[in-house]
Amino acid sequence: MLTQRIEFPVTLSDDHKYTVVGYLSTQAGGGRGPLKSRTLQVVVHGGTYDHEYWDASTLHGVDYSYARHMAERGYAVLALDMLGTGESSQPPGDFVNLAESSGAIAQILAQVREPGHPCAHTFDKVALIGHSIGTITSIYTLGRHGPLVDALVATGWAHVP
């Protein structure tokens, strides 16, 4: 598996520029060349994680990496460090809310559809995949910003009535 660190510039409601870091995983030998699948999976972690949620290590001989599993099958996986986590910009905590996070995701989804975007691959389809609060943020993003993806996968979502 090849993993490339990518920085996405985003502008939030305060008109300041921030950076969201993503890790693009592709199959070994695929590099910047053709991928078996032309679908990009943009994955959004839950509240207490970062991009490594999607690329965990091997434990007792069991591989816990979703990114590696999908890359081996020819898919490109872009695992994001959401604002305030990992290597992404760290705005003040009370500023990072659902609206700001969804705005950042919407800008990234628009960027990966543009020619010459930071991923350096052309994708026919984009799927947004969320886990836990990442699922809530993904649903909110599409509800607020429109149909930016071809598919939405919601995992690990729970709520209190």
Side-chain angles (χ1 to χ4, degrees):
M1 178 177 81
L2 300 173
T3 302
Q4 176 186 4
R5 183 184 184 276
I6 301 173
E7 294 184 0
F8 294 92
V10 297
T11 303
L12 301 182
S13 67
D14 62 358
D15 289 326
H16 289 108
K17 293 201 180 289
Y18 297 92
T19 301
V20 174
V21 173
Y23 288 84
L24 179 66
S25 298
T26 56
Q27 59 190 348
R32 295 183 181 270
L35 296 168
K36 184 171 82 175
S37 169
R38 304 308 289 179
T39 300
L40 172 65
Q41 298 180 29
V42 179
V43 295
V44 183
H45 60 79
T48 60
Y49 304 101
D50 62 11
H51 75 277
E52 290 179 334
Y53 174 82
W54 302 98
D55 189 21
S57 62
T58 301
L59 180 63
H60 303 296
V62 178
D63 185 6
Y64 287 96
S65 174
Y66 177 84
R68 191 167 30 257
H69 178 81
M70 296 311 291
E72 288 170 355
R73 284 150 184 79
Y75 289 92
V77 178
L78 178 62
L80 301 176
D81 274 346
M82 294 304 300
L83 288 170
T85 64
E87 296 179 41
S88 290
S89 292
Q90 308 284 322
D94 59 351
F95 180 68
V96 180
N97 58 30
L98 189 57
E100 299 299 341
S101 295
S102 75
I105 292 173
Q107 290 175 59
I108 293 165
L109 293 173
Q111 287 178 47
V112 300
R113 297 271 195 187
E114 295 295 322
H117 64 83
C119 293
H121 292 281
T122 301
F123 300 103
D124 296 330
K125 298 193 183 291
V126 177
L128 183 59
I129 302 170
H131 170 72
S132 189
I133 192 68
T135 292
I136 294 168
T137 307
S138 296
I139 291 169
Y140 185 87
T141 299
L142 298 183
R144 184 168 191 212
H145 299 280
L148 300 169
V149 296
D150 301 289
L152 170 67
V153 178
T155 71
W157 182 19
H159 62 87
V160 177

